[in-house]
Amino acid sequence: MRAAQHGDALALDQLLDELAPYVRRLCARIAPAVADDATQEALLAVFQGLPSLQAPEALVTWVRAVTVRTAMRLARRADREVAAADPAAESHASSLEGLVDIGDALARLPLPQRVVLILRAREGLSEQEIAATLGISAGTVKSRLYRARAAFREVWDS
Amino acid sequence: MNHQLEQAGIDPVDRLAVLAAALPGAAVRQRRIAAPYDAVWPMIADLEHFAPRYEPGVARMHVTERHGERLHLLVGYTDGREEPMEARLRAGWCLMQSATVVVAFAARPLGGQTLLAHLEHLRTGVPAPEPTRSRHRRAAHAKIDQELDTIERLATHDRG
């Protein structure tokens, strides 16, 4: 890690092997429609910031925060583009028609709720870790999780 | 995406951009080469034979050890100096590093042609201040463009 921070390209290459699958998995879960773009943007941001990372022992926490925020930004942008191109698409997406699996049910939740649920249920993070990742309070995480679970159950049980 | 070329889920050309992001001052250029990937990549990967042909400062390059993707090289420069390098070489990806420089190539098929990206980076520590940095970047881009010209010529006209 220190070698990578000091511009050892082979160490950076190795680090990329280690981080890329995690970054890709998070992006695919949070922003499935734009997962490739989100993965590349997140990796660019991570590697650009790497030399100035003050606490290398916090690498995974930092990579997670950069990735989740990047994926959320691209997911919001993709949602806006879809809504602008076809205003009917958004209402169709939020209907229950055609719901086939958990991924579909998750995709129908508002992005902030979807992300906390993904980080809690699929990534196994604690509420404190989610709060640190998103830069919000633990109380906000708790209330978003509560609303997300309720909304998910409503969608899933319908 | 070409999954055969991907390492850890990243296309090699995208991977090169990520690597460059962590190397302040690195120069990267890419070009669509009018020759198929299967003609271009074996040429890049044949370091001993082809590196001295497209890299003006290199007189010879020897692979001294090979362990799978990992290589140890000895580079002889035209000014008589010699320098050991370490490298990682696999389909679509070649990363070489010495104490002073980083050189990398990444390629993927693009239709019947090849998208080839080339990075060069001087490991000098602190990047130079402006306007020196811009002048260095322009010179590095010109050098890379010249090397890509040579590679394109070798790949499309006079291989061998």
Side-chain angles (χ1 to χ4, degrees), chain B:
Chain B
M1 284 220 222
N2 188 316
H3 292 280
Q4 281 185 318
L5 296 179
E6 286 181 7
Q7 177 81 13
I10 320 172
D11 165 275
V13 175
D14 290 345
R15 185 183 185 91
L16 194 73
V18 173
L19 183 69
L23 298 172
V28 183
R29 302 287 264 182
Q30 64 179 45
R31 183 173 303 183
R32 186 177 184 137
I33 305 277
Y37 172 85
D38 290 342
V40 173
W41 189 253
M43 204 179 78
I44 301 292
D46 185 356
L47 299 171
E48 292 187 333
H49 187 201
F50 280 100
R53 297 182 69 178
Y54 59 72
E55 174 58 62
V58 171
R60 63 195 174 282
M61 185 177 277
H62 293 303
V63 177
T64 54
E65 277 184 66
R66 186 187 289 265
H67 304 283
E69 295 180 347
R70 310 282 175 178
L71 277 64
H72 289 277
L73 309 166
L74 185 63
V75 183
Y77 294 105
T78 49
D79 61 8
R81 285 180 304 119
E82 285 194 333
E83 188 173 43
M85 290 188 104
E86 288 183 69
R88 191 175 185 196
L89 177 66
R90 61 168 181 275
W93 182 252
C94 175
L95 173 60
M96 297 176 275
Q97 175 172 261
S98 74
T100 57
V101 295
V102 176
V103 178
F105 288 95
R108 69 162 177 252
L110 197 63
Q113 302 185 335
T114 306
L115 183 62
L116 180 66
H118 181 19
L119 172 149
E120 292 199 1
H121 174 62
L122 290 175
R123 302 182 71 193
T124 51
V126 183
E130 294 291 357
T132 309
R133 194 190 316 180
S134 295
R135 199 170 61 244
H136 287 176
R137 192 181 301 116
R138 280 195 300 275
H141 284 166
K143 178 177 180 290
I144 292 174
D145 283 344
Q146 203 170 25
E147 290 171 20
L148 290 173
D149 286 346
T150 306
I151 290 167
E152 187 162 34
R153 184 169 47 75
L154 289 169
T156 54
H157 297 300
D158 51 6
R159 260 202 92 189

Side-chain angles (χ1 to χ4, degrees), chain A residues 40-52:
Chain A
Q40 181 67 6
E41 281 206 28
L43 286 171
L44 283 169
V46 164
F47 276 71
Q48 197 159 30
L50 203 58
S52 53

Side-chain angles (χ1 to χ4, degrees), chain A residues 33-74:
Chain A
V34 288
D36 283 349
D37 287 350
T39 300
Q40 181 67 6
E41 281 206 28
L43 286 171
L44 283 169
V46 164
F47 276 71
Q48 197 159 30
L50 203 58
S52 53
L53 181 65
Q54 297 295 318
E57 65 278 6
L59 176 69
V60 173
T61 307
W62 175 69
V63 168
R64 183 195 300 136
V66 171
T67 302
V68 168
R69 292 174 200 190
T70 303
M72 287 180 75
R73 181 167 51 79
L74 266 68

